[in-house]
Amino acid sequence: MGKRLREILRDSGLTARALALAAGWDESKCSRLINGRTLPSDDDIRAWCRICGAEEEIPDLIAASRDADSMYVEWKRLQRSGMKRLQETRVSLYEETRLFRFYCSQFMPWPLQTPGYMRAVLTAFAEFHDAPRDIEEAVTTRAARNRLLYEGDHRFAILMEESVLHDRVADDEVMAGQLGQLLEGMSLPSISLGIIPSGVPRKLWTMETFSIYDDKRVFVELLSAGVTVTQPREIALYIKGFTELASSAVYGNQARALITGALAALG
């Protein structure tokens, strides 16, 4: 935040003293804000941008400021209280969201995961990050989210890379059940499932797994951390990316053929 405020001030051609005078602040307040010692209030951001002639920056900066503490959170920090607690962190967001958009390049989408697949993924995750091993409680909590597929007016637009169908993150029995779950899920009226075939021309490259909640929030999954995006400009970029990825996907019978092919490959 401090760096961005400094850039806006520099672009305006004003000095910190001139800005402080126009805002009715002590000059030391400008110093605290641009050096990151004080987090700006919404009114501070509005005044700063208005005086610097950068009103268009206000929505993005306010969104970033409000979520500054939670925009980048290491998995290790999230997992201190256990894997079950990690699964509970965004329940209210899920319940409030009407349109979910998932792009999955690493794992099956959580709304269609079977308990066996969840157990395999969460176990590997806990081992890698040396997290508490309350796996069964975490699986129960995660599986409870799937009621959203059948309750209310939630809609799920899901895109998957074909490689996810073939990644053996669990044994063959679990993978067969998981692929069968995808086929069953495709028939639900709340779900649109598209699969991006491997080895075909496409508009966008394979990227990190991300999910979009209405037009309000994006969650990006990295190896070391979860990144929450709330700035409208960035959210719009992820929505554009999702749309372009969707144009490379196949649906319906073509998607089913890819899933059944993965099932057959299990032998």
Side-chain angles (χ1 to χ4, degrees):
M1 285 300 301
K3 181 179 178 181
R4 187 70 192 108
L5 292 176
R6 183 185 293 110
E7 290 172 349
I8 291 171
L9 178 62
R10 183 184 302 121
D11 291 344
S12 74
L14 296 172
T15 64
R17 178 173 296 178
L19 189 152
L21 182 63
W25 299 339
D26 186 279
E27 189 174 349
S28 64
K29 177 172 181 175
C30 290
S31 176
R32 292 196 303 273
L33 291 174
I34 63 177
N35 288 298
R37 292 196 297 269
T38 300
L39 192 66
S41 68
D42 292 358
D43 286 341
D44 290 340
I45 292 171
R46 293 188 184 98
W48 193 289
C49 292
R50 176 180 54 79
I51 294 167
C52 292
E55 288 90 343
E56 72 280 359
E57 299 282 350
I58 293 173
D60 282 347
L61 287 176
I62 287 178
S65 178
R66 289 177 178 176
D67 293 288
D69 288 337
S70 60
M71 288 175 67
Y72 182 97
V73 183
E74 292 185 62
W75 294 122
K76 201 165 191 67
R77 174 180 157 193
L78 284 172
Q79 293 163 357
R80 286 174 185 164
S81 56
M83 296 292 289
K84 177 178 182 291
R85 181 71 186 110
L86 179 60
Q87 302 307 310
E88 296 172 335
T89 53
R90 294 192 296 275
V91 170
S92 60
L93 173 64
Y94 298 150
E95 292 175 343
E96 295 166 3
T97 299
R98 290 297 168 264
L99 174 59
F100 296 80
R101 281 169 280 201
F102 295 91
Y103 167 71
C104 304
S105 59
Q106 299 152 330
F107 301 106
M108 301 287 179
W110 67 252
L112 292 177
Q113 289 180 1
T114 64
Y117 187 91
M118 293 176 191
R119 187 174 295 107
V121 169
L122 292 175
T123 298
F125 199 80
E127 289 176 353
F128 183 82
H129 289 283
D130 195 23
R133 305 301 172 85
D134 53 339
I135 302 299
E136 291 308 316
E137 293 88 345
V139 168
T140 299
T141 301
R142 190 181 184 97
R145 303 177 192 167
N146 292 359
R147 62 183 172 77
L148 298 176
L149 294 171
Y150 310 95
E151 296 179 0
D153 57 351
H154 306 284
R155 292 179 294 131
F156 300 81
I158 298 172
L159 298 175
M160 295 173 55
E161 296 288 345
E162 183 185 359
S163 59
V164 177
L165 303 177
H166 297 274
D167 287 344
R168 304 287 184 92
V169 301
D171 62 37
D172 285 0
E173 182 179 358
V174 170
M175 290 304 301
Q178 178 58 65
L179 292 167
Q181 177 75 359
L182 289 183
L183 292 171
E184 291 181 21
M186 291 179 69
S187 64
L188 294 175
S190 60
I191 289 180
S192 167
L193 176 61
I195 298 176
I196 304 173
S198 301
V200 299
R202 53 193 292 168
K203 291 185 176 180
L204 284 183
W205 55 93
T206 303
M207 58 188 66
E208 66 277 1
T209 289
F210 65 85
S211 48
I212 308 172
Y213 303 91
D214 291 325
D215 295 339
K216 300 175 182 178
R217 190 173 299 262
V218 175
F219 188 70
V220 186
E221 298 183 32
L222 306 179
L223 178 64
S224 60
V227 179
T228 301
V229 177
T230 58
Q231 296 187 58
R233 183 167 49 197
E234 286 190 83
I235 292 173
L237 196 62
Y238 275 96
I239 292 173
K240 178 182 178 181
F242 186 89
T243 301
E244 300 226 345
L245 287 163
S247 70
S248 300
V250 296
Y251 301 84
N253 289 335
Q254 288 179 287
R256 289 187 182 89
L258 293 176
I259 297 171
T260 55
L263 267 169
L266 291 174

